[in-house]
Amino acid sequence: MPAYRQGIGVVACPQNFFTMEIDLIDFDHFTPGLSLAGGLMIGGAAAGLILFNGRIAGISGILGGLLKMPRKDTAWRAAFLIGLLAAPLIAAWSGVAVVLDVKAGWGEILAAGFIVGLGTRYAGGCTSGHGVCGLARGSLRSLVATLTFMVTGFLTVFVRLHVIGA
């Protein structure tokens, strides 16, 4: 079981700064170095794809391009998706513990996937396309889409944990 410890946080206010106690921070799993490395790899892959291929690294667009008829640009799309799927397998093979702990049934997973797919279609892209590539290009549309994704996720978690109590 992880060790949860109290920490001190600084909260900015218009008039002054004050401190407050923050409960339940899992410092054993707080990994800013790994998070930074992962972010740099995602950013590097997105930058490489747009620089060398002229394409946005939006997963929904990459997958959608493989499903459309007639198929165009299948080689790079398939390679990108295979790389996404192979990464956890390579990590496990190299000795990194890959833990998958999903606390939902297949019905919930399928319903959530369908809802995310609808949102992706309405937003004209997914979080990777809008959040990584669109924001980096300064797209107002991507800012609105990313804020909508994030607020919806926050509200969903809040309702699930604090209103429904699941």
Side-chain angles (χ1 to χ4, degrees):
M1 176 153 185
Y4 291 96
R5 301 185 297 263
Q6 286 188 333
I8 300 295
V10 177
V11 179
C13 290
Q15 289 87 11
N16 62 355
F17 288 93
F18 66 94
T19 59
M20 62 180 262
E21 288 194 17
I22 300 171
D23 291 328
L24 301 179
I25 295 177
D26 183 1
F27 284 100
D28 292 337
H29 294 100
F30 178 65
T31 57
L34 291 175
S35 301
L36 176 63
L40 290 172
M41 288 192 301
I42 291 170
L49 189 60
I50 200 162
L51 287 173
F52 299 116
N53 207 2
R55 302 292 183 169
I56 298 292
I59 308 308
S60 62
I62 293 171
L63 177 61
L66 277 178
L67 301 177
K68 287 182 182 176
M69 294 300 243
R71 292 186 176 104
K72 296 180 184 176
D73 303 332
T74 56
W76 75 267
R77 291 175 190 274
F80 195 93
L81 293 172
I82 289 169
L84 285 177
L85 297 173
L89 299 174
I90 293 168
W93 176 73
S94 66
V96 176
V98 178
V99 179
L100 181 62
D101 184 23
V102 179
K103 294 182 170 89
W106 281 107
E108 289 176 302
I109 292 171
L110 292 174
F114 179 74
I115 293 168
V116 168
L118 284 178
T120 298
R121 198 52 136 163
Y122 284 125
C126 58
T127 52
S128 56
H130 283 299
V132 175
C133 300
L135 291 179
R137 293 182 302 116
S139 168
L140 179 61
R141 180 175 151 236
S142 290
L143 176 63
V144 171
T146 302
L147 289 173
T148 303
F149 297 150
M150 297 302 292
V151 168
T152 303
F154 295 151
L155 289 174
T156 301
V157 170
F158 179 81
V159 168
R160 173 111 192 231
L161 294 179
H162 301 291
V163 176
I164 296 173

